[in-house]
């Protein structure tokens, strides 16, 4: 991380703190901090990136929305559920408007929100978001993509906890055919 911090420092000095390349370096450093488990540093860096992007790019710019999503995820991991939920809801609302329902970041926000809402015990409220994320990922990424599988696992978990009797049939169909599509008819695809 030393080289990245040095690059960031040089960019801040020579091209300015608000330059897109500087913000990219800062955001990347936040992501690395998050991945390494340094949530305090990740949060601080994401907050800095978000403040600049809000000021320079505006609330509804794709990068601002993505930073809200990233900061929301960091807050969630730190246990600040209320603030995480607020930021992720803002991100999803903006992403739906600016990027559309099937954009990868919109789908990711749906997934994160579904997981947080589930974690708070609101399983019935979480399920529609997770199902939307699953349907979108299936169409955009394909059935065999690892993120599609991850979302499928969440949908099945929530359905099981809600005692939805159809979840087992859908799960067995997926395991047997590598897909939840009945009779190869894409339009009939569902989890139950």
């Amino acid at each position: 991380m030393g080289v990245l911090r040095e690059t960031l420092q040089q960019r801040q000095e020579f091209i300015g703190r608000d330059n897109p390349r500087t913000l990219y370096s800062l955001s990347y450093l936040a992501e690395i901090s998050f991945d390494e488990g340094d949530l305090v540093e990740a949060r601080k860096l994401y907050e800095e990136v978000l403040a600049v992007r809000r000021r320079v790019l505006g609330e509804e710019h794709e990068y601002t929305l993505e930073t809200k999503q990233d900061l929301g995820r960091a807050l969630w991991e730190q246990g600040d559920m209320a603030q995480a939920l607020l930021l992720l809801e803002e991100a999803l609302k903006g992403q739906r408007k600016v990027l559309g329902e099937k954009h990868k970041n919109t789908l990711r926000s749906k997934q994160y929100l579904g997981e947080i809402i589930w974690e708070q015990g609101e399983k019935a409220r979480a399920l529609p978001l997770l199902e939307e994320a699953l349907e979108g990922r299936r169409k955009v990424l394909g059935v065999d993509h690892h993120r599609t599988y991850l979302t499928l696992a969440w949908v099945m978990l929530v359905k099981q906890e809600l005692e939805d009797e159809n979840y087992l049939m859908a799960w067995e169909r997926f395991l047997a055919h590598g897909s939840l599509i009945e009779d190869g008819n894409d339009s009939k695809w569902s989890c139950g």
Side-chain angles (χ1 to χ4, degrees), residues 119-162:
E119 222 173 87
Q120 292 180 325
E122 297 182 58
K123 295 167 180 67
R125 187 172 157 227
L127 185 59
L129 283 166
L130 292 168
E131 287 179 326
E132 285 179 35
L134 178 59
E135 177 67 12
R137 284 182 166 171
R138 185 194 66 80
K139 286 182 177 176
V140 174
L141 302 174
V143 173
D144 294 329
H145 193 277
H146 69 279
R147 291 187 192 271
T148 305
Y149 279 109
L150 173 67
T151 308
L152 172 66
W154 271 99
V155 168
M156 292 296 122
L157 171 70
V158 173
K159 282 181 168 274
Q160 179 183 12
E161 289 182 352
L162 289 172

Side-chain angles (χ1 to χ4, degrees), residues 8-169:
L8 174 61
Q9 185 177 1
Q10 289 173 352
R11 285 183 174 176
Q12 287 173 331
E13 186 178 324
F14 295 111
I15 59 177
R17 298 184 71 78
D18 295 353
N19 186 285
R21 289 179 185 213
T22 304
L23 290 174
Y24 176 80
S25 293
L26 191 59
S27 184
Y28 189 60
L29 187 59
E31 188 175 330
I32 290 172
S33 297
F34 181 89
D35 289 344
E36 291 181 348
D38 189 351
L39 301 175
V40 173
E41 179 70 4
R43 178 180 182 165
K44 182 184 90 153
L45 295 170
Y46 281 134
E47 286 173 341
E48 187 177 340
V49 173
L50 182 58
V52 175
R53 285 185 170 160
R54 278 179 162 155
R55 182 173 42 78
V56 174
L57 302 173
E59 286 292 330
E60 292 188 338
H61 191 279
E62 177 181 357
Y63 295 155
T64 306
L65 297 170
E66 184 176 19
T67 306
K68 286 181 182 183
Q69 181 185 70
D70 292 336
L71 178 56
R73 185 177 56 131
L75 292 167
W76 171 23
E77 290 296 324
Q78 284 188 307
D80 189 348
M81 299 299 214
Q83 191 63 26
L85 195 59
L86 179 68
L87 273 174
L88 286 167
E89 285 173 340
E90 284 179 22
L92 180 57
K93 182 180 177 185
Q95 288 163 335
R96 281 179 160 153
K97 179 180 176 185
V98 175
L99 305 174
E101 291 292 331
K102 302 300 183 210
H103 190 277
K104 66 180 179 127
N105 288 345
T106 307
L107 298 173
R108 189 177 304 128
S109 285
K110 289 177 185 181
Q111 174 85 29
Y112 291 159
L113 270 173
E115 291 176 26
I116 289 177
I117 291 167
W118 171 85
E119 222 173 87
Q120 292 180 325
E122 297 182 58
K123 295 167 180 67
R125 187 172 157 227
L127 185 59
L129 283 166
L130 292 168
E131 287 179 326
E132 285 179 35
L134 178 59
E135 177 67 12
R137 284 182 166 171
R138 185 194 66 80
K139 286 182 177 176
V140 174
L141 302 174
V143 173
D144 294 329
H145 193 277
H146 69 279
R147 291 187 192 271
T148 305
Y149 279 109
L150 173 67
T151 308
L152 172 66
W154 271 99
V155 168
M156 292 296 122
L157 171 70
V158 173
K159 282 181 168 274
Q160 179 183 12
E161 289 182 352
L162 289 172
E163 298 180 7
D164 182 329
E165 296 173 9
N166 294 323
Y167 93 92
L168 280 176
M169 272 185 0

